[in-house]
Amino acid sequence: MKPLENLKQGFKHHTDQGRKKIWKDDRRLKSSRLNGRLLFSIAFWAVFAGAIFFTFQSWARTGFLNEKVNGYQDKASAQIARLNEAGFANSPAGEDYAAQFIAAYINVPYNEKEREERSNTLQSYLAEGLTAGQLEDLSAFGGKRVLKSASLYDVKNVSNTAASYVYRIEYELFKIVEKEQEAEKKEGSEEIAGEEKITAYEEALGKKEQMIVVRLGTDGNSFNVIEQPYYEALPAVTRLVSVQDSTDQANRNTKAESALKQFASQFFTSYTTNSIEEMSYLMEEPETLQGLYEYRGLEDFVVYDGEQKGQYIVKTLVLLQEGDADLQTKHPFTLIVTKENNKFYVQDFKHTIGG
């Protein structure tokens, strides 16, 4: 019986061990499946999130680059426009060419031969397809025109290949008058007394001032007048309002004027005699006119209260004399002055009474 019982127990033991192994393998398989699914899900969502992130980055970067490119293009276009304008407006060659043309165009001689030479000269300035005959008709003009002055006033309508040069000119017109005079008999002369002799003289018709606009074209190497020049009236004469002291008069401090006038007199004396280093003890941003002018006094001296306590605004005209020439000029100044430890100090120094 005992061997049989031992056999049963051995069988049971092996059976239990097999079950445990199956359960263990089953748990290991489930755990392995779970880990695989988790890793796959993590990888999938990571790739999906990465794709979205990189798509957004690509979109943002494209927008950023487009904005940058557009900005560079706009900037480049503006720079090119400025270069074109600066090239034409500041071109000594273009300005000189226009001035030479104006001299040839405005000066009209009386003599027929000289007029023919002038016409040939004008033609050399004109672009192909434009002739001197298309600029004027002198058939009825029996006088002459003389240019007195010409100065560049403006350059406008600037493009890559053309610009209009505006000159202020002054010229004088003359009428040629022919008069018959009786010839006088002179010794050794074949003239017969009583014969009529025709003489010509110039009669001034007056001066004129106006604007003339000359349209020039260029191919980058040379210039030509590409259209008939035209005239404009002189700019209207206007009178601007001068800079005035606009400080609120309610802030005027008459009590402090005496002390500050004494300080200002000492300050401007130093301003015309001291060095920059020495002036640094009297003002925030030192300036000097050392050796250039001499201080001669103050006019229209006014003091106002400043924005802060112990601060004053001083406005005045300063008389400065140039060397020994006894030539005095009046210079406007605004000083922002503070008082610390019973000493005045210039915080701000402006060459205007309006500031």
Side-chain angles (χ1 to χ4, degrees):
M1 289 292 294
K2 194 171 185 177
L4 182 60
E5 186 176 344
N6 290 338
L7 181 62
K8 288 180 178 179
Q9 291 178 351
F11 179 76
K12 184 179 180 181
H13 174 75
H14 285 297
T15 303
D16 292 340
Q17 289 292 328
R19 280 179 187 167
K20 289 180 179 180
K21 185 175 181 182
I22 290 171
W23 289 343
K24 187 175 182 181
D25 291 341
D26 186 57
R27 286 197 301 271
R28 185 179 300 168
L29 181 60
K30 289 182 178 180
S31 175
S32 176
R33 287 177 180 175
L34 181 62
N35 290 340
R37 289 177 181 175
L38 180 62
L39 288 175
F40 176 79
S41 297
I42 292 173
F44 173 78
W45 287 111
V47 171
F48 183 73
I52 293 176
F53 174 77
F54 285 114
T55 300
F56 174 77
Q57 287 291 318
S58 177
W59 173 81
R61 185 173 178 81
T62 301
F64 174 76
L65 290 175
N66 287 338
E67 184 178 352
K68 280 287 187 183
V69 169
N70 292 334
Y72 287 139
Q73 288 177 341
D74 293 341
K75 186 176 180 181
S77 298
Q79 288 177 339
I80 291 172
R82 285 196 299 270
L83 286 173
N84 288 332
E85 184 169 356
F88 244 128
N90 299 323
S91 168
E95 182 179 341
D96 183 62
Y97 191 90
Q100 290 182 35
F101 169 78
I102 289 172
Y105 179 66
I106 297 299
N107 285 311
V108 179
Y110 170 69
N111 183 278
E112 193 62 36
K113 183 178 180 181
E114 292 177 352
R115 285 193 179 189
E116 186 176 344
E117 292 174 353
R118 170 184 172 274
S119 180
N120 293 333
T121 301
L122 284 178
Q123 193 62 54
S124 66
Y125 288 98
L126 304 180
E128 185 177 351
L130 186 62
T131 65
Q134 293 175 303
L135 305 185
E136 60 196 1
D137 182 2
L138 302 178
S139 59
F141 179 48
K144 70 176 185 177
R145 185 171 61 189
V146 179
L147 179 66
K148 294 296 183 181
S149 65
S151 57
L152 182 65
Y153 181 81
D154 191 15
V155 181
K156 60 184 182 180
N157 301 325
V158 179
S159 68
N160 293 337
T161 58
S164 295
Y165 283 76
V166 184
Y167 276 77
R168 180 172 182 150
I169 62 172
E170 180 185 8
Y171 60 86
E172 188 170 9
L173 289 169
F174 294 90
K175 180 180 179 181
I176 306 300
V177 180
E178 294 183 348
K179 186 176 181 181
E180 294 182 351
Q181 291 182 338
E182 185 177 341
E184 296 181 0
K185 176 65 176 178
K186 295 181 181 179
E187 188 177 350
S189 173
E190 296 183 355
E191 292 180 352
I192 302 173
E195 285 187 353
E196 297 296 326
K197 181 180 180 182
I198 298 177
T199 59
Y201 65 94
E202 299 174 356
E203 180 183 325
L205 300 178
K207 296 180 181 179
K208 292 187 67 175
E209 278 190 271
Q210 59 193 42
M211 315 298 287
I212 184 171
V213 183
V214 179
R215 185 73 172 164
L216 291 188
T218 183
D219 58 1
N221 296 314
S222 59
F223 296 92
N224 275 135
V225 177
I226 58 176
E227 198 170 12
Q228 287 88 344
Y230 62 91
Y231 297 107
E232 289 182 344
L234 293 176
V237 177
T238 57
R239 292 181 63 84
L240 303 178
V241 178
S242 63
V243 176
Q244 302 290 330
D245 177 9
S246 58
T247 311
D248 188 352
Q249 295 299 309
N251 296 327
R252 185 167 179 175
N253 189 335
T254 55
K255 294 180 179 179
E257 282 186 7
S258 179
L260 280 164
K261 192 169 187 177
Q262 183 179 356
F263 165 74
S265 182
Q266 295 171 350
F267 174 82
F268 283 108
T269 298
S270 300
Y271 178 61
T272 57
T273 57
N274 288 359
S275 65
I276 287 287
E277 184 179 357
E278 291 171 324
M279 290 303 295
S280 65
Y281 295 101
L282 299 174
M283 58 194 305
E284 188 72 23
E285 297 182 3
E287 294 182 27
T288 182
L289 289 178
Q290 184 184 31
L292 299 176
Y293 291 90
E294 296 178 9
Y295 168 71
R296 282 292 179 264
L298 303 171
E299 285 187 2
D300 300 334
F301 189 85
V302 185
V303 176
Y304 301 94
D305 289 324
E307 297 179 355
Q308 304 171 5
K309 186 178 180 180
Q311 186 184 73
Y312 304 94
I313 302 172
V314 176
K315 293 180 180 288
T316 184
L317 294 178
V318 180
L319 276 68
L320 298 178
Q321 180 174 307
E322 190 171 356
D324 298 327
D326 295 329
L327 174 61
Q328 294 186 9
T329 51
K330 300 179 182 182
H331 299 248
F333 289 99
T334 295
L335 281 65
I336 308 298
V337 181
T338 56
K339 188 176 184 180
E340 297 179 3
N341 301 323
N342 292 323
K343 290 185 177 180
F344 290 113
Y345 183 77
V346 177
Q347 280 188 323
D348 199 2
F349 185 71
K350 302 177 182 178
H351 296 263
T352 178
I353 60 170

